[in-house]
Amino acid sequence: RNSRAFLAIVTGPYNNDPANAYFSREFCLKELRWARDARKPIKPIVRLEDKDNIGDLMADAPSDLQFLGKIDFIDLYRSDIDYWEVGIKKITERFLNP
């Protein structure tokens, strides 16, 4: 409630365990719904490695959270500091400080 925005770090299954994917985690879903219900701006973030899999990630989203797929995802790549900084700049300039 007291935040200006919500960043959803959307991930797929880790180590082939679907239980740890973003849309399988109870508290990730609760936080996302709280942000939606509080009318906070929501920005989905993905790892660069998952950028081509956004459709697959969104296929696991509950029906009430499918709207997230209509929002432009920002991808971040932790192994390249320059790419990382561009992604962070996109988040801060375009989303947190419009």
Side-chain angles (χ1 to χ4, degrees):
R1 250 188 307 207
N2 296 323
S3 64
R4 291 187 319 182
F6 182 78
L7 301 177
I9 312 297
V10 181
T11 60
Y14 179 72
N15 286 338
N16 295 320
D17 181 0
N20 62 31
Y22 183 83
F23 290 114
S24 297
R25 295 180 181 159
E26 177 184 359
F27 284 98
C28 290
L29 297 176
K30 283 184 179 188
E31 289 175 335
L32 186 53
R33 288 179 174 122
W34 290 333
R36 178 202 60 201
D37 294 347
R39 299 184 181 270
K40 299 296 178 178
I42 297 170
K43 188 63 175 175
I45 311 294
V46 291
R47 300 176 317 139
L48 178 65
E49 298 88 349
D50 289 330
K51 185 174 181 162
D52 291 333
N53 301 322
I54 292 172
D56 293 334
L57 295 171
M58 288 307 304
D60 293 333
S63 60
D64 67 313
L65 299 175
Q66 286 289 319
F67 71 91
L68 198 63
K70 296 179 182 174
I71 302 171
D72 185 35
F73 281 64
I74 291 178
D75 56 281
L76 295 175
Y77 185 50
R78 295 182 295 178
S79 297
D80 181 330
I81 190 64
D82 294 328
Y83 197 99
W84 175 265
E85 288 177 358
V86 167
I88 296 299
K89 185 176 180 179
K90 284 182 181 181
I91 292 168
T92 56
E93 289 183 356
R94 297 182 192 172
F95 182 64
L96 299 178
N97 298 317

